[in-house]
Amino acid sequence: MKARTQGKVKHLIDTIDFTKEELLSLFETIRMLKEFDMQGAVPKILKGATLAMIFEEPSTRTRVSFETAMTDLGGHALYLKPGEIHFGSHEAIKDTARILSSMCHGIMFRTKEHEGILKLCEYATIPVFNAMTYYNHPTQGICDFFTMSEHLPEGKSLDDIHVVFVGDSREDTGIMSKETGHMCAALGLRYTVCSPEKYSMSKEEQKKIRDKMKLTGGTLTVTDQVEEAVADADFIVPDVWTYYGYEEEEADRMANFMPRYQLNMDMLNRAPEHCKALHCLPANREVEITSEVLDHPTRSIVFQEAENRLHTQRGLLAWYLYPRMREADQTLVRYNEGKLRSFLDTRLK
């Protein structure tokens, strides 16, 4: 069995808060666990641990990857959704945070409002994992850049790459544009955001990214000129153009984005031959990305990226939960087992 240790709790809220050294250490943890998985020998370092997974939004990759990763590491995951728990409705978030902290070892939370994550972290005494809000998506960002580190252009290191986001970077909807920017800022990379002016990144978000880049050496360019943006791109990251709750904008969005900002072979061929396409999925084929690009055997790393969500979650769980665990004294465990068996045997006679 495992016993929880005391100490200051760390949460995964925003990747811009990481240092470069922390991210590289996390990448190495993910890389090791991926290698162990290929060997069929993932160590059960979270035996006895429980992860509460709260989903206010639907998910495929996030749910499957976290639940599978927790099992692979010897732990257990609980799928919780509104209507089945009292979270945020009949019970205050701070009360749920305290209860789950007393019963579990970690909390994974997917929600719309970023304030919800911040509030949960304020009261939780165990690690909280931000599994996406309508502001950012840290687990996806970490996965994306780990995937890029596996597919670096020949002769380039991770420090040298130019990452280009093409699509919606507006404050209330451009989730992956911000997340990609936060990762580039933390790692000190060159980052270009390319969007129609109407759907471009806010000045406030640009300032947040540039302020971090002053410390790390990264650069941010915001433009609406696709051809210039991708001309020397090493990786191109798109995202969806339409969202639930924004149906009235769909016609305008399609008019602004199509066809110039669609990641198709014409755009990809404007970039260097080594440039790779990513996508966080789910994708709207033939909208923000074409099937020709998505399924390309050498230019697309989308499905390697999707698989890496599992390896990334293993790394995150190990990185955040393992330091708070310690092995119980096996002599004490055996003694307690004998004592309990003796008591129950006596009661059952």
Side-chain angles (χ1 to χ4, degrees), residues 128-147:
V128 173
F129 299 89
N130 176 357
M132 197 186 86
T133 69
Y134 278 17
Y135 174 67
N136 66 344
H137 198 348
T139 60
Q140 183 69 56
I142 292 166
C143 169
D144 287 359
F145 280 78
F146 171 74
T147 304

Side-chain angles (χ1 to χ4, degrees), residues 339-349:
K339 185 177 181 179
L340 180 61
R341 287 180 182 276
S342 177
F343 174 76
L344 292 175
D345 288 344
T346 301
R347 297 272 301 197
L348 292 172
K349 286 181 180 178

Side-chain angles (χ1 to χ4, degrees), residues 4 95-105 107 125-126:
R4 202 169 303 135
D95 295 339
T96 302
R98 289 166 177 164
I99 294 301
L100 291 179
S101 294
S102 71
M103 296 183 179
C104 303
H105 294 77
I107 305 171
T125 57
I126 56 177

Side-chain angles (χ1 to χ4, degrees), residues 57 111-114 132-136 168-178 197-205 239-249 253 257:
E57 289 285 284
T111 185
K112 293 182 180 179
E113 300 299 326
H114 195 69
M132 197 186 86
T133 69
Y134 278 17
Y135 174 67
N136 66 344
D168 178 15
S169 60
R170 200 173 76 178
E171 181 62 23
D172 57 337
T173 49
I175 299 170
M176 286 311 301
S177 68
K178 295 190 288 288
E197 186 175 352
K198 185 175 181 179
Y199 294 95
S200 189
M201 182 176 281
S202 71
K203 299 297 184 183
E204 293 76 14
E205 187 61 32
D239 197 10
V240 296
W241 297 341
T242 59
Y243 307 86
Y244 296 118
Y246 291 83
E247 286 81 6
E248 74 282 358
E249 294 184 1
R253 285 174 170 274
F257 286 107

Side-chain angles (χ1 to χ4, degrees), residues 259-274:
R260 191 177 183 197
Y261 296 88
Q262 182 188 67
L263 180 47
N264 50 35
M265 287 306 299
D266 180 61
M267 181 190 293
L268 199 54
N269 286 333
R270 290 177 182 274
E273 190 175 348
H274 65 254

